[in-house]
Amino acid sequence: MDVETVKELCSAYPGASSKLYGPPSNILVYYVGGKKFAYFKTSEPEQWRFSFRTSVERFLELTDVPGFKPARYMARFHWVTVVNVAAVPDAELRELITSSYELALTRPKGRRFGISGSRPNNSSKPTPLRGAA
């Protein structure tokens, strides 16, 4: 699978959206329900390296495989980087992206805001506590 195909796949999930961040981060991030589920690095020297979230067990497994490494700054949250998406079998990469998407949906923020990513209207004032002066 090439980079363009992976981008199309990430965009095709229900409720998925993307945002391109310029310098200094230089990343293309895919979201669902306000939570990241994948991103590409868009600048050299790591251009088009692809990162996604995994389970704890899968993180340990994948980071022992050549071509996969802990994602910079995000490894503590079990994110993995694929150095070259074309080197990963299509079915495996599709399964990893789907798993990351599903993890984003089950995270508290993803559940609370739903897959549309819309946030509740916070314009109203909080209800005062009873008995408060």
Side-chain angles (χ1 to χ4, degrees):
M1 197 177 301
D2 63 5
V3 170
E4 290 305 316
T5 305
V6 174
K7 287 180 182 180
E8 290 171 12
L9 176 63
C10 290
S11 296
Y13 285 100
S17 62
S18 64
K19 183 171 181 180
L20 179 63
Y21 293 90
S25 43
N26 297 312
I27 55 176
L28 173 61
V29 181
Y30 292 90
Y31 294 94
V32 63
K35 296 291 287 183
K36 293 178 194 169
F37 72 92
Y39 65 89
F40 278 103
K41 186 72 175 156
T42 61
S43 63
E44 294 294 340
E46 297 178 336
Q47 189 169 25
W48 304 123
R49 289 192 179 180
F50 180 66
S51 301
F52 53 88
R53 187 178 207 148
T54 64
S55 66
V56 176
E57 299 80 18
R58 198 72 199 262
F59 176 82
L60 295 172
E61 174 190 331
L62 288 172
T63 53
D64 284 340
V65 175
F68 290 86
K69 63 181 194 170
R72 182 180 286 171
Y73 308 114
M74 297 293 281
R76 65 186 173 155
F77 303 112
H78 310 112
W79 282 72
V80 176
T81 294
V82 177
V83 177
N84 179 6
V85 293
V88 180
D90 290 2
E92 181 180 4
L93 190 56
R94 188 177 304 272
E95 183 268 322
L96 292 168
I97 296 168
T98 300
S99 175
S100 183
Y101 170 82
E102 290 171 353
L103 281 169
L105 280 177
T106 61
R107 305 306 295 174
K109 186 176 177 183
R111 265 197 321 260
R112 185 174 57 195
F113 297 137
I115 64 171
S116 69
S118 61
R119 299 189 187 281
N121 182 358
N122 291 330
S123 62
S124 62
K125 293 181 182 178
T127 306
L129 296 172
R130 291 186 181 187

